[in-house]
Amino acid sequence: ALALGVVVAHFRGDLARVVALACQLRNLPQVDDDPVLRFLMGAIEAGAAALTGDPEGALSAIDALPSRGVDARTAELVDRLEVSMLLLLGRADDAVTVAEASLTRAPSAYVRSIPPVVRWVAGDPSAFLSCDLSDEPPADTNARDRLYHAAYGTSVFASLGDRDAVERAWPAI
C-alpha cells in the first residue's frame, strides 16, 4: 500500500506526500533486509530527486538500486523515470538503450510505444515515417499519458513537416 501511495503521489507531483510515505516506509523494521523494500526506498529517493529538479540525483539513486527481487511492473516505473531523467540531461542515446532494454516488453501498449519516441528524440525518426501517429493511444492509457501521447505526437508531426497532423492532434493538448 505504501508503494502504491508513493507512485500516485509522484505522478501528482506531491513531494510532501512522497516524503511522508518514505518516512513511513523507512520506519518498517525489515526495510534493510527485504530487497523489495530496499528497492522501493531507492526508487522513492529517485522520484523525490526528480520532483525537486535534480535529474543527476535521480540517476544516482537509480544506479544504487538493487537489481533483484522486484516485480517487472515496479521496475518498469523506475525505468520510465530513468529514461526521462536521461532525456532531461541530454543523454538521449543512453535513454534509447534503457528504453529498448526494458520498455519494449511492458504490459501496457502505451509504454511499449515510448522507445520509438525516445529514438526520435535521439535523432532517429525512422519508426514514425511509416506509421499513422494520429491514432488514439491504446484504450488502457491513463489521462496523463494521453496528454503525453498528444504532445509528443504533435512534436513528431511538426518535425516531419506534417502540418495537417499537427492540427488534428492539437485539440487533445
Side-chain angles (χ1 to χ4, degrees), residues 15-166:
L15 181 60
R17 185 76 177 140
V18 168
V19 171
L21 290 169
C23 289
Q24 287 181 5
L25 187 59
R26 191 171 289 121
N27 289 330
L28 294 175
Q30 65 273 34
V31 73
D32 291 326
D33 300 326
D34 185 312
V36 173
L37 293 178
R38 279 198 330 268
F39 183 91
L40 289 174
M41 285 304 304
I44 290 168
E45 263 184 60
L51 288 173
T52 58
D54 181 10
E56 293 97 349
L59 288 176
S60 292
I62 290 168
D63 287 342
L65 292 174
S67 60
R68 299 175 192 250
V70 295
D71 64 286
R73 184 71 176 143
T74 302
E76 175 194 306
L77 292 171
V78 175
D79 292 336
R80 289 176 69 177
L81 179 62
E82 182 176 12
V83 167
S84 295
M85 296 301 101
L86 289 167
L87 290 173
L88 285 173
L89 290 169
R91 295 173 51 193
D93 291 334
D94 293 334
V96 168
T97 301
V98 173
E100 290 184 344
S102 59
L103 303 181
T104 56
R105 298 181 312 272
S108 163
Y110 173 74
V111 174
R112 289 191 308 271
S113 75
I114 293 173
V117 173
V118 176
R119 279 195 305 276
W120 168 74
V121 172
D124 175 11
S126 62
F128 298 116
L129 298 177
S130 63
C131 67
D132 180 9
L133 295 175
S134 63
D135 290 342
E136 284 290 311
D140 67 343
T141 305
N142 64 38
R144 176 180 161 267
D145 288 341
R146 284 181 176 281
L147 174 63
Y148 286 0
H149 177 86
Y152 278 115
T154 301
S155 299
V156 171
F157 296 145
S159 74
L160 297 174
D162 191 341
R163 195 175 193 74
D164 292 336
V166 170

